[in-house]
Amino acid sequence: METQLKSERNGQINIVLQDRHIMRSHHESVQQEQKKDPFTNIDQAFTSFIGLHDLKQSIKEIYAVKMINEKRGNFGLKHTNQVLHMLFKGNPGTGKTTMARKLAELYHNMNLLSKGHLIEAERADLVGEYIGQTAQKTKAIVKKAMGGILFVDEAYSLGRGGEKDFGKEAIDTLVKHMEDHHNDFVLILAGYPYEMERFLTLNPGLKSRFPFIVEFKDYDTEQLIEIAERMAQEREYKLTREAKWVLKAQIKQELLQKKINFANARYIRNIIEHAIRMQAMRLMMHNHVSHEDLIHLTAPDFKLDTLKSLSE
C-alpha cells in the first residue's frame, strides 16, 4: 500500500492509502490495450466527428509510417520525413476548421509537429497592396505557424483578380515554404469543392504538392439529427421525441431544396441555440419549473415556421 499525507485547511492530517497493485494493474491494462490496437488514441480523437472515415484511415497510415520509421532508424536504415500538407474541400459547417485544430493536436502528440498550434489565415492576412508586401506578409504568417498548422480558408480567393493581382504571389510564396519547411510545418488549404478544384488549376503542380485531399461531404438527415443531439447534450439539454420529429421534418425539407449555401452543422447550432431561447421564454410563464422542464427541449421550441426563417 502507498501512503500519502494530505494537509487540510483546518490543520488536520488525512491519511490516503493507495494500492500500488491496483494503480500498476490499471497502467498495465492501458498499455496492453494500446499493444492490442496501436491506433486506439486516433480512434478516440475522432469519436466526436461524424463521417470522415477516409481521413481517419489516412491519419492511421501517417502514424504507422512515423512509428516504423523510428524502428528503421534504430537499425540504421534510411527513412524520410512525410509531407503532410492537405487540401480540404467542403461546404460550410462540415467541420473543416474543427478538424484542422484536431490535426494540429494529433500531430503534436505524434511528435510530427513541435508545437501543435493552429494559425488561421485568409486572403487579407496574406495579400498586400503593393509590390513586395505580399511576400513579407505571407512569410510572417508562415513563421508564426512554424511548428504547427497554417489553415487558409477560402483559399481560392487568392486566385481571384487576374494576372496583376498579388494573390498569385501569395500562392507562390506558400508553395516555396511548403517545400522548405515541410519537416515542421503543415499547410491546409480549404474551401468550397468547385472553387477549390478551379483554384488548383491556377498554379502548375500545385495539386501534386498536397498528398492528402479530403472531401468533407454534406451531412445527411440522420447525421444532422445526431449532431443536434450532441450539441444539446453538451449544453445539458435533451430533445424530446416530438422535438426530433419536428426538427427532422425541417432538415429533410432543407436538404430537398439543395441550397448551395446550406450551412450544415452551423445551421444545426443556430437551431439548438434558438430552441434554448424559446424554451427559456416558455418556462418564464410557469410559476414552478422542475428539473425535467429545464433540460428538455420540446416540439414547441422547434416551431417549423421559425426554423424556416433561420435557413433563409
Side-chain angles (χ1 to χ4, degrees):
M1 302 287 282
E2 180 179 358
T3 303
Q4 289 185 347
L5 299 181
K6 290 190 176 181
S7 176
E8 302 294 336
R9 292 183 180 177
N10 58 11
Q12 294 179 338
I13 300 295
N14 286 345
I15 300 176
V16 180
L17 300 178
Q18 296 179 333
D19 193 323
R20 287 182 177 178
H21 177 69
I22 295 175
M23 295 170 63
R24 185 167 57 251
S25 297
H26 174 70
H27 179 67
E28 288 174 354
S29 65
V30 172
Q31 286 185 324
Q32 289 175 358
E33 185 67 26
Q34 290 180 342
K35 286 181 180 179
K36 192 182 300 182
D37 184 359
F39 305 111
T40 299
N41 290 339
I42 296 174
D43 287 328
Q44 290 176 346
F46 275 82
T47 53
S48 61
F49 292 90
I50 296 174
L52 299 176
H53 303 295
D54 291 344
L55 177 58
K56 183 165 74 169
Q57 180 61 30
S58 295
I59 301 305
K60 289 182 177 181
E61 293 169 5
I62 290 168
Y63 178 66
V65 171
K66 164 71 177 175
M67 299 308 294
I68 296 303
N69 271 344
E70 290 182 3
K71 295 182 185 298
R72 288 176 61 86
N74 292 336
F75 283 95
L77 297 171
K78 291 183 179 180
H79 62 275
T80 57
N81 291 325
Q82 302 180 75
V83 176
L84 303 176
H85 305 306
M86 293 186 172
L87 192 142
F88 289 176
K89 298 189 297 182
N91 289 322
T94 49
K96 299 187 295 297
T97 305
T98 305
M99 178 51 68
R101 294 194 187 104
K102 177 58 68 176
L103 287 179
E105 177 186 334
L106 272 173
Y107 287 164
H108 178 60
N109 293 338
M110 294 179 192
N111 292 320
L112 291 168
L113 291 174
S114 60
K115 296 179 181 178
H117 62 301
L118 180 78
I119 299 296
E120 297 182 47
E122 55 187 21
R123 177 185 166 90
D125 300 312
L126 303 170
V127 180
E129 298 178 356
Y130 52 83
I131 296 175
Q133 187 184 26
T134 295
Q136 292 177 354
K137 292 181 73 172
T138 304
K139 288 177 183 177
I141 289 289
V142 171
K143 184 177 180 180
K144 193 176 179 182
M146 287 299 299
I149 290 178
L150 174 59
F151 179 77
V152 183
D153 200 6
E154 297 185 3
Y156 47 79
S157 64
L158 297 174
R160 293 174 177 168
E163 288 295 325
K164 295 182 179 180
D165 184 74
F166 294 127
K168 187 177 183 301
E169 184 181 356
I171 298 171
D172 294 339
T173 306
L174 285 173
V175 168
K176 183 179 187 305
H177 286 286
M178 287 171 68
E179 294 297 321
D180 295 347
H181 304 295
H182 68 268
N183 290 341
D184 198 24
F185 167 70
V186 174
L187 175 66
I188 298 179
L189 301 183
Y192 295 164
Y194 173 77
E195 286 83 349
M196 289 305 292
E197 279 296 327
R198 185 172 178 276
F199 167 72
L200 289 174
T201 64
L202 299 177
N203 186 295
L206 183 60
K207 187 173 185 177
S208 64
R209 299 180 189 275
F210 293 93
F212 302 97
I213 298 179
V214 183
E215 289 192 28
F216 287 72
K217 297 180 180 178
D218 289 342
Y219 298 113
D220 61 29
T221 302
E222 295 303 322
Q223 289 174 326
L224 290 171
I225 290 292
E226 184 180 348
I227 290 171
E229 291 185 290
R230 288 188 184 186
M231 287 182 176
Q233 187 177 17
E234 288 170 0
R235 296 161 173 80
E236 295 190 342
Y237 288 92
K238 293 181 180 179
L239 277 67
T240 64
R241 183 183 301 177
E242 293 78 12
K244 290 181 191 177
W245 289 343
V246 174
L247 180 57
K248 181 178 286 190
Q250 173 60 16
I251 290 174
K252 285 183 176 179
Q253 186 175 341
E254 284 293 311
L255 295 181
L256 283 173
Q257 293 178 15
K258 295 183 179 180
K259 295 181 179 179
I260 297 177
N261 61 343
F262 180 64
N264 285 277
R266 293 181 197 170
Y267 170 68
I268 297 301
R269 182 190 62 202
N270 291 338
I271 284 179
I272 293 298
E273 291 178 352
H274 184 269
I276 290 172
R277 294 195 296 272
M278 293 301 97
Q279 184 228 44
M281 290 292 291
R282 176 170 54 81
L283 295 181
M284 285 293 289
M285 306 307 294
H286 295 196
N287 292 328
H288 301 286
V289 179
S290 68
H291 177 266
E292 292 298 305
D293 292 331
L294 290 170
I295 65 174
H296 281 104
L297 299 175
T298 64
D301 303 322
F302 292 88
K303 293 182 179 179
L304 276 174
D305 55 343
T306 305
L307 298 186
K308 289 177 183 177
S309 66
L310 290 175
S311 65
E312 294 174 351

